[in-house]
Amino acid sequence: STASEAASAAASGASATERFAADKSPFEAVKDTPPERVDSIAKRVLGAVYDTIREEKVTYDEFNALKAWLIQVGKDGEWPLFLDVWVEHEVEKVATEHREGNKGTIEGPYYVPEAPEQGANGTIPMREGESGTPLTWHGTVTSTDGTALAGAKIELWHADADGFYSQFAPGIPEWNLRGSFTLGDDGAFEIHTIQPAPYQIPTDGSCGKLIAAAGWHAWRPAHLHVKVSAPGHELLTAQLYFPGDEHNDDDIASAVKPELVLAPVANEDGTVSVDYGFVLDPV
Ligand code: MBD
Ligand code: FE
């Protein structure tokens, strides 16, 4: 219903801002940045803005609409959403371009650390009768040299069959569709979950206003989020996608890579199986 979607859209923006504030101490990490670097980056960003204003002959009315919109993005708590949808993909590419192992992609705004542990062969927390096609996923976590990574951990989180994330939409149990899977010596796992639905970013907030004003759509393809970690290896943040999703080629968040599209197999009992493992780069 429109009313419950509106309620959850407003809530998810504010929750994502709270989540960000709780987990990251961003200024600490860059406190030794030399002024030359700040100067260079700030000048280039502003330069791109000046070029746009000159080339597009931006008017005062448009400038004032921008000011009002930027103020509202903050009031809606949608800065994490805006930055993760329209900026993070380029940061992620630069951060991981040296890797020889698995492709990764953006984290997005809805990760919560310390999801409940389910073991190497486990079912993600879900409601009784959780809707969606049951999905059995196996694979192995290895290093780039092929060694199985004992004690690797997979953190998995994803939307439900209606496209909503626990802790960011109301009325969903706290850890629904969020789980941690710590692997044994063979680095192997078998995870049971359900297939998520395509996800529409909130349309009733400031990001939605930009999307409507620009004539864009608000959709991301269905996806599973993961963080995969192992001692002595770089943390992998990725998402897995499903073949044939109409938004794989026009994800609003530009986060789909061909290496991250699964090859699921439909079983006779209506469930789906998929084999996909991860290759981590040594630190
Ligand atoms: C999501 O679920 C997501 O993964 C991203 C990147 C942005 C908004 C919602
Ligand atoms: Fe997501």
Side-chain angles (χ1 to χ4, degrees):
S1 80
T2 318
S4 73
E5 275 163 27
S8 58
S12 55
S15 308
T17 294
E18 273 169 40
R19 181 78 257 151
F20 180 78
D23 285 353
K24 324 236 166 164
S25 44
F27 296 118
E28 184 61 23
V30 296
K31 69 180 189 323
D32 297 326
T33 304
E36 297 72 31
R37 181 164 172 81
V38 180
D39 172 69
S40 168
I41 294 171
K43 273 199 185 128
R44 289 186 70 161
V45 171
L46 290 169
V49 172
Y50 306 151
D51 288 348
T52 306
I53 293 167
R54 276 195 305 271
E55 289 164 23
E56 298 282 352
K57 299 197 184 305
V58 170
T59 66
Y60 258 101
D61 283 344
E62 289 167 336
F63 173 60
N64 284 324
L66 172 67
K67 262 195 215 176
W69 183 80
L70 291 169
I71 291 165
Q72 194 59 40
V73 174
K75 285 188 182 162
D76 292 345
E78 285 198 344
W79 279 118
L81 181 66
F82 175 85
L83 289 165
D84 294 353
V85 167
W86 285 295
V87 181
E88 190 186 356
H89 57 89
E90 291 306 311
V91 180
E92 190 277 336
K93 274 181 210 144
V94 170
T96 62
E97 63 193 351
H98 63 283
R99 288 190 184 172
E100 289 171 7
N102 234 265
K103 286 286 181 203
T105 191
I106 65 174
E107 175 177 322
Y110 301 146
Y111 169 65
V112 183
E114 305 193 45
E117 175 61 45
Q118 313 301 133
N121 183 158
T123 301
I124 201 167
M126 64 172 86
R127 290 162 285 195
E128 184 84 21
E130 184 78 39
S131 48
T133 304
L135 179 72
T136 300
W137 169 18
H138 8 69
T140 306
V141 179
T142 59
S143 187
T144 46
D145 69 1
T147 319
L149 289 174
K153 181 165 96 171
I154 298 172
E155 294 169 87
L156 171 64
W157 73 102
H158 63 86
D160 66 16
D162 295 321
F164 292 118
Y165 285 85
S166 61
Q167 301 188 39
F168 296 90
I172 303 176
E174 188 177 21
W175 294 104
N176 206 241
L177 304 177
R178 296 177 179 277
S180 300
F181 303 84
T182 298
L183 316 186
D185 288 345
D186 61 358
F189 63 89
E190 178 171 313
I191 293 173
H192 299 266
T193 186
I194 55 110
Q195 251 183 256
Y199 174 87
Q200 193 177 24
I201 73 163
T203 52
D204 60 324
S206 295
C207 291
K209 228 173 179 175
L210 170 62
I211 288 168
W216 300 338
H217 75 254
W219 291 96
R220 298 213 60 222
H223 55 279
L224 302 167
H225 289 269
V226 288
K227 280 184 182 283
V228 186
S229 53
H233 288 74
E234 290 189 35
L235 170 67
L236 171 69
T237 301
Q239 298 179 36
L240 287 321
Y241 303 94
F242 296 88
D245 191 306
E246 62 173 313
H247 297 294
N248 281 346
D249 296 324
D250 69 346
D251 177 11
I252 185 71
S254 309
V256 180
K257 298 179 187 180
E259 298 87 346
L260 299 174
V261 179
L262 299 168
V265 175
N267 301 313
E268 278 179 13
D269 63 359
T271 67
V272 162
S273 300
V274 67
D275 210 327
Y276 187 98
F278 298 100
V279 182
L280 303 189
D281 282 70
V283 179

